[in-house]
Amino acid sequence: MPMEERTVFHKIRDGELPAEIVQSDEDVMVFKDIHPKAPTHLLFIPKHFVASIADVTPETAHLPGLLILKAQQFAKEQGISGYKLTFHVGEGGGQEVPYLHLHFMSEEQIA
Ligand code: 5GP
C-alpha cells in the first residue's frame, strides 16, 4: 500500500508511532486508546491489515473472531468481569481509522 495510505494504526503496529502497548504477539497488538472513553479503553488490532468489518472476506473472516478471543483472554487474565466490545464500521458507523480494530471498554481498571 502507498505510504500516504498507511493509517496511524499501521504506524503503531510497525513501531513508527508511539503508543501505550499493552500486549503484542504474532497476530494481534493491543494498545491504549489515546482518548479513552472508559476507565479502561483498549484497541485490539490484527497484525494483518484489513480496513474494516465491511472489507472482511472469507479469507480474513477469522480475524474479528481472533480479536474477540484475545479480548476474552485478556479480560480473564486481568480479572475484568464486565466489558464492552465494539466494532465501528464505516464513517457512518463512527469509524475514524480505516484499520480493523476492536474497542475494549470497561469500568474496571487493568493492573
Ligand atoms: P474508530 O472511531 O475508528 O472506531 O476508533 C478509533 C480510535 O482510535 C478512537 O477511539 C481514537 O481515540 C483512537 N486513536 C486515534 N488516533 C490514535 C493514535 O494515534 N493513538 C492511539 N493510541 N489511539 C488513537
Side-chain angles (χ1 to χ4, degrees), residues 8-9 12 17 31-35 37 41 43 88 94-97 101 103:
V8 287
F9 292 177
I12 290 172
L17 193 67
F31 52 90
K32 293 186 183 179
D33 195 294
I34 203 166
H35 299 303
K37 293 161 197 75
H41 186 174
L43 301 170
H88 295 155
Q95 185 177 4
E96 293 168 13
V97 181
H101 54 279
H103 290 263

Side-chain angles (χ1 to χ4, degrees), residues 74-82 108:
F74 178 81
K76 278 185 190 161
E77 283 163 19
Q78 291 286 329
I80 292 179
S81 58
E108 298 168 50

Side-chain angles (χ1 to χ4, degrees), residues 28-30 42-46 67 70-71 74 100-102 104:
V28 175
M29 179 179 271
V30 185
L42 306 175
L43 301 170
F44 286 65
I45 67 165
L67 298 181
K70 292 284 184 185
F74 178 81
L100 180 68
H101 54 279
L102 178 65
F104 178 107

